[in-house]
Amino acid sequence: MASFYSPWTLAFFFLGLTTMIIGRTTGARYSTPVFQPSQWELAHATFYGDETASETMGGACGYGNLFQNGYGTDTAALSTVLFNNGYACGTCYEIQCAQSPHCFSGASSTTITATNVCPPNWSQDSNNGGWCNPPRVHFDMSKPAFMKIADWTAGIIPVMYRRVPCARPDGLRFTFQGNGYWVLVYVMNVGGGGDVAGMWVKGSKTDWISMSHNWGASYQAFASLGGQALSFKLISKTTKETIFAWNVAPSNWNAGLTYKSDVNFH
C-alpha cells in the first residue's frame, strides 16, 4: 500500500549514500536496564515499496541508507500516534498477523525497527485508505517484512504487536552535519529501548552542552565545537539508562561523516 512520506526522505537518502564510518575507542557507564516486552495489542499493517525495500531508504528518522547503517529491510513507518514526533525512532516491535485468511500458516511473528513516519491522509476515510490517520495505531511495513507474516496481496491485515528490546550488535553510530558553530547529529543503531530521550555533547575544551531535539533521531547544539574532540551523553527514553560515549569524533571531525562508538544500550 502506498504512503505519503516526509519531505526529508530524499535528503536523508542521499546523506546515507555519502556517509562513511570511522571507528573510535570509547568508554561507557550504564545504569540498570528495566525494559521488558510490553503486552500484546491490536493494530493493522500495510506495506510500501517493493521486494527490494529501496523505497524505505532515508525516512523521517534520518537513518539514511538502512542497509549501510544496520537496519536492513525489517523496518516500518509508524502512524503519528506511535511516531511521537520522532521520539519513537529506533524502537522495535514484534508483529504477528492476526485472524486473517491472508496470514501465513505457522509464521509466528517478525520484529521491525521504526525508521519512518506514515502521516495522515485526510483525503481518505480512516477505515478506507487513511490507515495512518489519528487515532489509528498502524504499521506501514517494508514489503519484505510484511511478506514474512502474510500474503502481500491482502493489502492490509489485522496484527498483534508489542514493544520489544532492540538487539543491536556493534556500537552506536553518530552521523554529523553542521559546522564549527552548529552541529546536528543523527544517532543510529541504538540498542535496548532503541530510543533517545535526551543528548549532550562535550568538546575537549567545554563542559557538557545540552542538545535540542531537531526531528526524528537527530539532535543539535548551537556551540563553537570546531577543532575539538567530541564526546556524547545519551539517555534512553524507555529504559532511562544513561550512556557515555567518550571521544567519539576526533578534533578534525567533518560534516557528512559517521563516527562509530564501541558502546551501546543494553
Side-chain angles (χ1 to χ4, degrees):
M1 302 290 287
S3 293
F4 299 91
Y5 294 95
S6 164
W8 295 70
T9 301
L10 287 178
F12 288 139
F13 172 64
F14 289 112
L15 170 65
L17 289 180
T18 58
T19 294
M20 65 178 291
I21 297 174
I22 300 175
R24 297 285 292 177
T25 300
T26 58
R29 185 174 70 205
Y30 298 95
S31 56
T32 303
V34 296
F35 181 44
Q36 298 294 327
S38 67
Q39 298 296 313
W40 289 98
E41 297 184 63
L42 179 65
H44 286 81
T46 49
F47 68 87
Y48 68 109
D50 59 19
E51 289 85 349
T52 69
S54 59
E55 291 186 34
T56 68
M57 298 299 104
C61 290
Y63 293 143
N65 188 307
L66 301 180
F67 296 116
Q68 291 181 358
N69 293 321
Y71 296 100
T73 62
D74 292 329
T75 64
L78 307 183
S79 60
T80 53
V81 170
L82 288 174
F83 192 66
N84 191 23
N85 292 321
Y87 284 105
C89 284
T91 53
C92 296
Y93 297 84
E94 185 179 4
I95 300 177
Q96 61 182 22
C97 186
Q99 298 181 346
S100 167
H102 299 283
C103 296
F104 286 151
S105 176
S108 56
S109 65
T110 189
T111 299
I112 58 89
T113 302
T115 60
N116 205 351
V117 63
C118 181
N121 181 4
W122 299 117
S123 66
Q124 294 183 301
D125 184 87
S126 296
N127 295 310
N128 186 23
W131 311 123
C132 293
N133 296 350
R136 289 183 66 102
V137 176
H138 191 85
F139 297 88
D140 202 14
M141 305 170 68
S142 72
K143 191 172 183 180
F146 187 94
M147 291 193 302
K148 289 183 177 180
I149 59 174
D151 182 350
W152 67 270
T153 60
I156 182 170
I157 55 171
V159 296
M160 297 298 292
Y161 77 96
R162 63 175 181 169
R163 277 283 308 278
V164 293
C166 296
R168 293 286 174 219
D170 216 350
L172 296 170
R173 300 177 183 184
F174 301 83
T175 296
F176 283 37
Q177 291 295 302
N179 51 50
Y181 303 95
W182 168 72
V183 62
L184 178 70
V185 180
Y186 304 95
V187 188
M188 298 178 289
N189 205 49
V190 179
D195 50 14
V196 176
M199 185 168 167
W200 292 257
V201 60
K202 184 184 186 309
S204 51
K205 301 175 183 177
T206 73
D207 291 327
W208 288 105
I209 299 169
S210 178
M211 304 181 75
S212 59
H213 183 231
N214 184 280
W215 180 253
S218 67
Y219 285 78
Q220 63 187 356
F222 294 90
S224 181
L225 294 169
Q228 299 184 58
L230 302 183
S231 302
F232 294 97
K233 179 174 71 170
L234 298 88
I235 294 179
S236 168
K237 187 173 182 63
T238 300
T239 69
K240 312 306 179 186
E241 291 177 83
T242 298
I243 191 172
F244 291 82
W246 298 102
N247 300 316
V248 169
S251 59
N252 62 342
W253 60 267
N254 282 296
L257 300 184
T258 295
Y259 298 89
K260 180 180 170 184
S261 165
D262 63 359
V263 298
N264 211 328
F265 291 111
H266 290 163

